[in-house]
Each structure stands twice: as C-alpha cells, then as structure tokens.
Amino acid sequence: MVLPTFLRRRFNRLRIGFFLHSPFPSSEIYRTLPVREEILKALLNCDLIGFHTFDYARHFLSCCSRMLGIEYQSKRGYIGLDYFGRTVGIKIMPVGIHMGQLQSGLRLPDREWRLSELQQQFEGKTVLLGVDDMDIFKGINLKLLAFENMLRTHPKWQGRAVLVQIANPARGKGKDLETIQAEIEESCRRINGDFGQSGYSPVVFIDRDVSSVEKIAYYTIAECVVVTAVRDGMNLTPYEYIVCRQGAPGSESTSEVSGPKKSMLVVSEFIGCSPSLSGAIRVNPWNIEATAEGMNEAISMPEQEKQLRHEKHYRYVSSHDVAYWSRSFTQDLERACKDHFRRTCWGIGLGFGFRVVALDPHFTKLNIDSIVNAYEISESRAILLDYDGTLVPQTSINKPPSPEVVSTINTLCSDRRNIVFLVSGRDKDTLGEWFASCPKLGIAAEHGYFLRWSRDEEWQTCTQALDFGWMEMAKPVMNLYTEATDGSSIETKESALVWHHQDADPGFGSSQAKELLDHLESVLANEPVTVKSGQFIVEVKPQGVSKGVVAERILASMKEGGKQADFVLCIGDDRSDEDMFENIADIMKRNMVAPRTPLFACTVGQKPSKAKFYLDDTFEVVTMLSALADATEPELETDSADELAASTSSLDIGDEQSESTDRPIGGS
C-alpha cells in the first residue's frame, strides 16, 4: 500500500492505479494503526484507487476525512479526493471472472464422466454446495450449523438434502485454524450421526485439493450454492457457479442438466459480490436460524422463479467479466491522469511524507530577492496581510503576535511610502489590543466590516448602518446545533455570527455544518446577509462584506489621495483571502494602480489558489516581511513623479521568473 509513494518519487509521470482486492476496514479499526496516516498518504499518491464495493470505498473515504481532513466530492458520477491540487479518483467496480477460461473448462472431456458419476451418486437428492478455503473467515462451521438447523426445523429435507462442502487445504497454520478445523470435523460427525441413514450422509466434506474439472462438475449438479463467509473481499464462487449451471454455449452434452437453466444462491451480506447479485438470498451468517431459513427458501422456490433469477444473474456475470473490469479501470485511469498531465507538479516531503503538488503553470514560489528589488524601486506601496495562518500558525494556541512580527510591522509602517493593513476575520477589539503598539498600522476587522487607517483614528464601517435583527433569527438556530454537536461553539462578533466545529468529531461536525448551512440559508433567505462555510466554520455576515471589497477600498483611497499604488503585496491563507486575490488580479484593468505595477498576490502553503505566488508557511512569510523591513528607509523622502514613472516603467515582474528550491516534476 505504500508502493505508490516510492514509484511516484522515482518515476513522477507514471499513471498509477491501485485496486484493493480485500475489504478496507472501518475507520474505528483502521485508526488504531500506528502508521495510519502514512498508508493513506501513500495511497493518495495514486491517480486512481479502486474498491469492489461502496462499503469498502466509504471506509477509506471516512478514514481520509477523519485522519487527513480531506472530504470527497462527487462530480458527474465520479468520486474524487482533492489532494494538493490533484484529484485522486475513487473507482467502485467489482471484479469479474474469466469467461473464456471457464467455458473452456466446461468443454473438457473429463467433465463428462465426472458429471455422470456425480449425478448417479446424488440421484434423487437436492445438492447444496459450498466451496471455500479452509480459514477462519469463510464461516464453514456456521454453514454446517445452519444446515443442521434446517434439517431439524424442516424434517421433509431429511434423507433428501445433501450439503457438499469442498474445503481447499489451508495455506497457513496456527491455533485459530486448528480450532476451526476441529469444530468443523465435530459438526460433520454430529450431523451425519443424527440425520444419516443407510446410503445417505447429509454432509459430504471434501478436505483435499479438488481439480478445476471436478469443481465444475460439482457446480453443474448443485441446486444451490451457499457462501457464509464472515468477511471476504469479493469471492467469485457464485459467479463460477452461475456460468457452470448455464453450460458452455452450443454444447449438447448427454450429461448436461436438461430443461431450462436455473440456479439459486444463498450468500453472506459480508462478501464483495453480494451487492451485485440482486436475485440471491442474502443472509447474516452469524444468524444461524436466518441462514437455515434462507437455505430452505432457496431449494423450495418454484422452478420458474429459479429460472428467472438465474437468467438475471447470468446476464450480469457474462457482461461484467474480468475483461470488462480491466477495461473500465484503465479508461478511468486515463481520464484521471489527463488533468494531472496538464499541470505543473512538484514533489515535496521526505520518506512516507512525500507527495506531489499539482499547481497552475504560472503559480510559483515567491522569490524574496525579486520582491525586495520591486519594493526598493517603488514609491507608493500597499501591503495587505491576513493574520491567522499567515502571521501566526493556524494551529498556534498562543494567538497574539510575536515581538518579531510587531517589530517588523512597525518598521514597514514607519516608511511614509507604505500603507500597511491587517485584513482579518477577527473582531476589532482583539486586533486593536494586540496591535496597540503599532500606531501607524491600518486594521480591517471582521473581514472588513470595521476599518481604521491608524491607531488614533476612529473605526469606520464599510456600509451604512445596518439592521442586525437577523442575528436574533440566526442565533437560536446555531444554539440548536451547538447543543447537539459536542465540541462546537458560537463566536459572536459585532457584525457576524460564526459557528466553529474544529473540536467536534470530524465526520459528525462536517455533517452538522452542511445541515446548519442549509437551515440558515432557509431561515435567512429574505435577510441582507450571506451564509458561507469555511474551514471548520459556518459564518453569517452582512452582504457586501469581504476582504476583496476591503482591498479595493484601500487602493481606491490611495488613488484619490494622489498616492496611486505602484507596488501591491497581498498575503493570506484561506478561502476568505481568495476574494482578495481575485480582486487584486482585476485592479490593473480598472486603472486603480499605476501602469506596470508589480502585483504580489501570495497564498500560504502549496495549494490551488487564485494567487500567483506561494510561501510554504508562516515562518517564510515573516522572513520575507523582515527582508522588506530591512530594505525600508524610514527617513527617505519620496522621489519626483518623473523618477517614479521611470522606475515603474523599468520594472516588468513578468520577466522575473521566481526560482523555487523544490524540484519540479514534469514542468513545462
């Protein structure tokens, strides 16, 4: 399961598909593994991951959600996980059998005499068949107990029904296996002792290697196949049985079962093929009585019904063979890779933490030398900074800014050519208190609803006085979900309400957030507010309030004041900052900044973004800001307009390709 990581590191342009032919455990079991994240991350280095059933896929997706915080999305029938800019496809397709190989076996001459021999041996008897490996998961003893219960409950089958159990020899050893073998032998002795008669043994137990031809002969004479595995990835025994009951196309064997083709199946609901066989009788093998009733129902069913169910199963099995499965998987792999090959990819991380990050070809790491050069020759600069996840780590418990951050911001603010703004979702009182020692710092709080240009100025609101009556409607709804969701909380701001669920159970919290979003949208449909979901939050705020609007307002004010920006730096890390990046990209067309102004829209972390640049973490952000602070000259007077025009016209940031220290994968 970790092979995809090693392949991806060595051959980065490979198309990698992974198919799991066994069940994927539920998250409750999987989460106990010490290396749980490493295995998930390794699998996510594939382009396509396949499972036999949705149950197995659901367990995998649940583990990704709970342990990596990655949610799946369904687009036009395809399930995908967005992992560092790549969409990893999830394929649900049960494997089939090799039709040609099985039909060749049906034509072998050895089959004729074996079939004739078995028909003679079981003449007048109804044969139920089990074909299983001898291991603890196949539920052979449960099958024997259920058969015993059927004979006891329905005495009419005594002397008429025979269970033939073929047990392929065990591939391993151990105490558990020895115990189960002893139980099976004891059950066989007891059943044959209690219900056996002269010339009749209710259980025929075959504990040896059985050739494929002999197995085909048993399949052909069996009225019903019973599979009671307590856990199995796929189990193709029912498929093989259906094809053998149908017989080889065009064969007119004298020993062939005459009349309409029919078959019956009793299958455990815990095996992979169970969902595909809609005509089978599904049972919980742990429920002995229900399994016994299922066996009785199968062999007592009217012949016409058996025939209809057989025809339905044969149509499915013959059309969904192993060739169909491999073709379908390959096509989906090609489709998944097509988008990946269009992008520039980077390999980052060490050991099992290695991953491929797919980015827009124009998305590059912000080069500190380039931005410092642009900064030094500019005359009117706008610097817009997010707070959480940008100046301090998102996981930091100690949220106030460090002395280094405060000192750097003060140095940047001391240059009269700089307009420095903190643009955050936090409330104005908290930000005002934390940055009280930065007198010239502008702050836009609550995503820009409150704004002030310096410490000594009054707070302004971005819109006219609003009616906040909607809060009285939204808060009771949020309280309802807070009471029902352990670990969630409500943050009340002056202009907004935020429901947090980062400390709740990941699956339940995410589900409740979706429900709350729908509920609030319905309740507040006629109110002047927007309801948005973010990273572990659901937020209600007035319409027209966003970081993008704030950025536009600051740049417009600079232009009106005769200090049109010729350098713009904008840094953020989450979804709310994408509005800012989007507006920044559009301001050049609207002449809100000087011609040929370098625009540095920068996101924190390598991830899909509307920003053109990225820095890896908050440490790199602070390092970059410190470099700008070192280049700042607080006492320097502004140059003349001619010199400003000359300096901005000489700068073309498009010619400066930023260099990344990471190794590019498949870059153009």
Side-chain angles (χ1 to χ4, degrees):
M1 293 175 101
V2 296
L3 178 62
T5 289
F6 297 103
L7 288 172
R8 189 65 78 190
R9 285 178 68 179
R10 195 71 177 272
F11 310 105
N12 41 54
R13 297 287 282 182
L14 278 183
R15 294 169 172 83
I16 303 180
F18 180 95
F19 199 94
L20 186 67
H21 286 276
S22 60
F24 194 94
S26 72
S27 60
E28 286 305 305
I29 296 168
Y30 182 82
R31 71 198 293 191
T32 60
L33 286 176
V35 289
R36 58 192 189 183
E37 283 94 355
E38 286 85 347
I39 291 175
L40 291 178
K41 288 174 181 176
L43 283 178
L44 291 172
N45 275 322
C46 294
D47 296 294
L48 183 67
I49 306 170
F51 300 92
H52 284 308
T53 71
F54 180 66
D55 268 353
Y56 304 160
R58 181 167 53 81
H59 291 159
F60 173 74
L61 295 170
S62 173
C63 289
C64 288
S65 170
R66 286 172 172 272
M67 288 153 221
L68 301 180
I70 303 169
E71 299 293 339
Y72 77 90
Q73 293 180 324
S74 186
K75 293 179 183 174
R76 297 187 177 180
Y78 294 105
I79 298 174
L81 287 163
D82 190 24
Y83 186 61
F84 290 98
R86 295 165 54 251
T87 301
V88 180
I90 303 297
K91 174 82 172 167
I92 299 161
M93 169 64 72
V95 73
I97 55 171
H98 194 311
M99 286 293 291
Q101 196 175 59
L102 198 53
Q103 286 172 346
S104 298
L106 289 168
R107 294 191 179 92
L108 290 173
D110 273 8
R111 174 177 170 271
E112 292 290 320
W113 68 265
R114 287 186 185 278
L115 189 55
S116 178
E117 196 178 75
L118 290 175
Q119 285 171 336
Q120 194 176 342
Q121 181 184 344
F122 296 109
E123 190 177 359
K125 305 287 190 294
T126 298
V127 177
L128 294 92
L129 177 66
V131 181
D132 302 281
D133 294 336
M134 176 61 81
D135 74 38
I136 60 173
F137 298 110
K138 294 299 186 269
I140 296 174
N141 197 50
L142 294 174
K143 189 187 305 179
L144 294 170
L145 295 174
F147 182 66
E148 180 184 23
N149 186 286
M150 186 191 81
L151 294 178
R152 208 179 295 283
T153 313
H154 302 279
K156 64 179 180 178
W157 293 114
Q158 293 177 18
R160 292 172 54 201
V162 177
L163 173 63
V164 177
Q165 177 61 53
I166 298 173
N168 302 320
R171 284 176 275 187
K173 293 179 181 178
K175 255 186 181 178
D176 289 341
L177 196 58
E178 288 169 10
T179 304
I180 204 77
Q181 283 175 317
E183 286 177 0
I184 290 168
E185 287 168 11
E186 169 58 29
S187 294
C188 289
R189 272 198 303 272
R190 187 180 64 252
I191 296 167
N192 285 336
D194 290 352
F195 300 102
Q197 302 166 8
S198 176
Y200 168 70
S201 294
V203 177
V204 177
F205 188 69
I206 304 170
D207 186 13
R208 59 173 170 82
D209 271 321
V210 176
S211 68
S212 57
V213 177
E214 190 178 353
K215 207 178 284 182
I216 286 170
Y218 274 109
Y219 281 142
T220 308
I221 62 140
E223 281 290 313
C224 174
V225 154
V226 185
V227 182
T228 53
V230 294
R231 182 63 66 191
D232 211 347
M234 187 60 194
N235 199 313
L236 295 174
T237 297
Y239 287 16
E240 293 172 353
Y241 165 64
I242 290 160
V243 174
C244 291
R245 288 290 283 181
Q246 181 69 19
S251 68
E252 296 295 331
S253 166
T254 53
S255 303
E256 198 73 65
V257 178
S258 57
K261 311 295 183 184
K262 55 187 186 294
S263 63
M264 273 311 298
L265 292 165
V266 176
V267 298
S268 163
E269 62 191 50
F270 304 123
I271 64 174
C273 67
S274 172
S276 309
L277 300 167
S278 55
I281 296 170
R282 296 192 188 97
V283 294
N284 174 0
W286 297 104
N287 187 333
I288 305 298
E289 292 78 13
T291 307
E293 286 305 316
M295 289 180 180
N296 175 60
E297 183 187 347
I299 55 181
S300 305
M301 196 170 281
E303 299 299 303
Q304 181 70 20
E305 181 66 18
K306 290 181 184 177
Q307 185 186 337
L308 289 172
R309 293 191 184 209
H310 170 79
E311 287 171 359
K312 183 180 186 181
H313 287 159
Y314 184 73
R315 276 197 305 273
Y316 175 82
V317 172
S318 59
S319 59
H320 291 72
D321 62 352
V322 72
Y324 175 87
W325 170 83
S326 57
R327 232 180 3 255
S328 176
F329 190 83
T330 309
Q331 286 169 0
D332 276 18
L333 182 59
E334 285 289 341
R335 181 186 54 78
C337 293
K338 197 179 290 182
D339 180 53
H340 298 171
F341 288 169
R342 288 196 201 105
R343 299 177 179 224
T344 300
C345 297
W346 298 82
I348 60 173
L350 300 170
F352 292 120
F354 179 85
R355 60 200 179 276
V356 172
V357 179
L359 305 170
D360 186 285
H362 305 295
F363 187 62
T364 53
K365 188 163 186 176
L366 185 59
N367 184 275
I368 293 181
D369 290 340
S370 297
I371 192 170
V372 168
N373 289 339
Y375 178 85
E376 286 178 333
I377 59 175
S378 56
E379 295 299 325
S380 181
R381 309 166 186 135
I383 300 172
L384 311 177
L385 307 171
D386 177 38
Y387 184 71
D388 293 280
T390 302
L391 296 179
V392 296
Q394 194 71 260
T395 54
S396 173
I397 296 172
N398 186 24
K399 290 289 186 181
S402 66
E404 182 190 359
V405 168
V406 172
S407 170
T408 301
I409 286 177
N410 271 329
T411 304
L412 291 171
C413 292
S414 66
D415 191 333
R416 68 183 66 186
R417 292 174 293 182
N418 293 347
I419 298 292
V420 184
F421 255 90
L422 197 66
V423 185
S424 172
R426 284 188 173 272
D427 64 276
K428 62 182 176 65
D429 294 335
T430 301
L431 292 174
E433 180 187 335
W434 286 349
F435 290 93
S437 57
C438 302
K440 296 183 181 178
L441 174 67
I443 298 178
E446 299 188 20
H447 297 304
Y449 183 78
F450 293 103
L451 184 142
R452 73 178 187 195
W453 288 81
S454 67
R455 185 183 63 189
D456 300 329
E457 291 191 25
E458 291 296 317
W459 288 99
Q460 308 166 10
T461 56
C462 70
T463 55
Q464 298 300 317
L466 292 173
D467 176 15
F468 285 98
W470 56 266
M471 280 195 174
E472 300 304 316
M473 300 165 67
K475 201 157 190 179
V477 176
M478 283 190 174
N479 281 330
L480 191 70
Y481 283 82
T482 305
E483 287 168 16
T485 314
D486 191 34
S488 64
S489 60
I490 300 172
E491 180 188 358
T492 305
K493 302 178 183 177
E494 287 188 48
S495 69
L497 287 174
V498 187
W499 188 74
H500 295 269
H501 62 94
Q502 67 264 36
D503 296 326
D505 174 86
F508 186 55
S510 175
S511 169
Q512 290 288 81
K514 288 173 187 171
E515 288 291 325
L516 176 60
L517 187 73
D518 289 343
H519 198 156
L520 288 171
E521 282 177 344
S522 171
V523 169
L524 303 172
N526 298 319
E527 300 297 320
V529 294
T530 56
V531 185
K532 282 191 173 183
S533 63
Q535 192 171 21
F536 300 118
I537 64 162
V538 175
E539 183 172 28
V540 188
K541 61 183 181 181
Q543 286 175 350
V545 175
S546 76
K547 291 185 179 182
V549 173
V550 175
E552 200 172 314
R553 184 177 174 186
I554 292 166
L555 293 169
S557 296
M558 289 175 70
K559 183 180 178 182
E560 287 167 15
K563 292 182 66 178
Q564 191 175 30
D566 61 357
F567 172 95
V568 178
L569 170 62
C570 173
I571 312 179
D573 76 305
D574 65 14
R575 194 180 297 179
S576 64
D577 299 303
E578 294 297 317
D579 294 335
M580 196 157 53
F581 300 147
E582 194 171 14
N583 277 34
I584 290 292
D586 200 41
I587 58 173
M588 193 75 87
K589 298 175 189 171
R590 291 181 282 165
N591 297 320
M592 292 180 68
V593 293
R596 303 174 73 80
T597 294
L599 305 175
F600 294 96
C602 178
T603 188
V604 182
Q606 295 186 35
K607 56 181 181 281
S609 172
K610 290 168 184 167
K612 295 292 183 188
F613 300 96
Y614 72 88
L615 289 170
D616 286 325
D617 49 36
T618 55
F619 176 76
E620 288 196 355
V621 173
V622 175
T623 302
M624 183 271 295
L625 292 175
S626 297
L628 295 185
D630 291 342
T632 299
E633 300 175 25
E635 302 304 319
L636 187 67
E637 295 297 326
T638 57
D639 296 328
S640 65
D642 291 341
E643 288 171 332
L644 172 61
S647 65
T648 53
S649 63
S650 67
L651 175 66
D652 185 357
I653 198 64
D655 293 337
E656 299 234 21
Q657 292 297 324
S658 61
E659 296 292 331
S660 171
T661 55
D662 293 321
R663 177 171 57 88
I665 290 183
S668 56

